[in-house]
C-alpha cells in the first residue's frame, strides 16, 4: 500500500495523511528532479491533498509521525527516522525515486585567528577517518569509499541540491508559499 513514486502521493488515498515542510529547498530539489514545468504542476496537484504543513526540524517531524500525528512525512530525512527506529518507534523510511539531498558544508573563516588549525580540521573532517566519525554520529557521508558502510543509501539515486539554486531561493520561497498558501 505504500507509495512507490512521487506521483503515487497524488492518489486520493493519501489525502489529508501527509506532513511536509514546504521549504524553498524542497521546491528547488523537485525542480531539479522533475524539471520546472512538471515540478510546478506536481506541486499544485500535491497541494490539493490537504497536506499538513509543518516548519519544525526533520527530527521533530519524525517524532510527530512516530507519535501518530500523520502516517507520512514527504520530506523526512534518514538520520532522525533511523534513530527513532533503533529505539523501537513505529516508523520507517522509504524513497519514491531520485532522493533529494541537501548537503551540509564545512568552511573556514576568512580571517580566523588560527588558520592552520582550521586547515587541519578540514583535512581531518574530509579524510576517511573524519568521515567515519561523522557516520558514527548517525549522519550520512558522500565518500565513495564509505558507501558500502551505509546500507540505507548504498543503491539510491541521490540528487544533491545544485549550489547555483541559491541564486533563485527567493523565487522558490515565493512559489512554494503561493502554491501551498502558507
Amino acid at each position: 500500500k505504500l507509495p512507490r513514486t512521487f506521483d503515487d502521493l497524488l492518489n486520493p488515498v493519501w489525502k489529508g495523511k501527509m506532513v511536509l515542510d514546504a521549504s524553498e529547498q524542497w521546491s528547488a530539489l523537485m525542480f531539479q528532479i522533475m524539471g520546472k514545468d512538471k515540478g510546478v504542476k506536481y506541486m499544485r496537484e500535491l497541494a490539493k491533498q490537504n497536506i499538513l504543513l509543518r516548519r519544525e526540524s526533520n527530527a521533530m517531524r519524525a517524532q510527530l509521525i512516530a507519535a501518530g500525528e500523520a502516517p507520512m512525512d514527504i520530506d523526512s530525512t534518514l538520520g532522525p527516522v533511523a534513530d527513532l527506529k533503533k529505539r523501537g518507534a513505529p516508523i520507517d523510511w522509504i524513497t519514491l525515486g531520485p532522493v533529494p539531498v541537501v548537503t551540509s558544508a564545512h568552511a573556514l573563516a576568512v580571517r580566523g585567528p588560527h588558520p592552520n588549525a582550521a586547515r587541519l580540521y578540514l583535512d581531518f573532517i574530509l579524510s576517511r577517518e573524519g568521515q567515519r566519525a561523522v557516520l558514527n554520529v548517525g549522519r550520512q557521508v558522500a565518500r565513495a569509499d564509505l558507501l558500502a558502510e551505509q546500507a540505507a543509501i548504498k543503491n539510491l539515486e541521490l540528487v544533491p541540491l545544485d549550489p547555483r539554486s541559491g541564486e533563485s531561493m527567493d523565487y522558490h520561497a515565493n512559489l512554494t508559499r503561493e502554491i501551498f498558501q502558507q
Side-chain angles (χ1 to χ4, degrees):
K1 291 185 181 181
L2 291 176
R4 301 242 184 258
T5 67
F6 291 112
D7 287 338
D8 288 350
L9 298 177
L10 304 178
N11 186 324
V13 73
W14 295 111
K15 190 169 189 167
K17 297 179 179 176
M18 296 178 279
V19 173
L20 172 66
D21 176 7
S23 70
E24 59 277 4
Q25 289 179 334
W26 179 81
S27 170
L29 281 159
M30 290 296 101
F31 281 15
Q32 273 184 240
I33 291 169
M34 298 179 176
K36 183 178 177 184
D37 293 337
K38 185 178 178 187
V40 169
K41 182 180 177 195
Y42 175 76
M43 285 189 278
R44 291 193 191 285
E45 291 300 312
L46 189 62
K48 295 176 186 175
Q49 289 289 67
N50 296 344
I51 294 172
L52 177 60
L53 299 174
R54 303 294 297 239
R55 294 296 294 194
E56 291 92 0
S57 68
N58 287 311
M60 177 58 78
R61 288 194 328 272
Q63 289 177 2
L64 292 171
I65 297 301
E69 178 91 7
M72 181 183 342
D73 180 359
I74 297 171
D75 186 34
S76 192
T77 56
L78 175 59
V81 172
D83 185 47
L84 287 170
K85 188 175 175 179
K86 272 188 227 173
R87 293 188 285 162
I91 192 167
D92 209 344
W93 187 80
I94 62 167
T95 62
L96 303 176
V99 180
V101 175
V102 176
T103 58
S104 57
H106 301 279
L108 298 176
V110 173
R111 291 179 187 83
H114 305 286
N116 290 330
R119 287 183 190 97
L120 286 172
Y121 167 75
L122 274 183
D123 283 347
F124 169 73
I125 202 66
L126 296 175
S127 72
R128 183 176 172 87
E129 179 185 5
Q131 291 291 278
R132 190 175 302 284
V134 172
L135 275 175
N136 289 340
V137 295
R139 302 298 300 239
Q140 305 302 308
V141 299
R143 281 187 65 106
D145 60 347
L146 292 175
L147 280 178
E149 298 176 35
Q150 302 173 82
I153 68 166
K154 183 167 64 172
N155 296 315
L156 299 179
E157 180 186 347
L158 304 176
V159 179
L161 181 61
D162 184 340
R164 294 172 296 183
S165 66
E167 298 166 4
S168 59
M169 282 301 158
D170 285 342
Y171 167 77
H172 289 288
N174 292 333
L175 177 66
T176 303
R177 271 194 298 277
E178 174 213 323
I179 290 174
F180 290 96
Q181 299 179 2
Q182 298 177 337

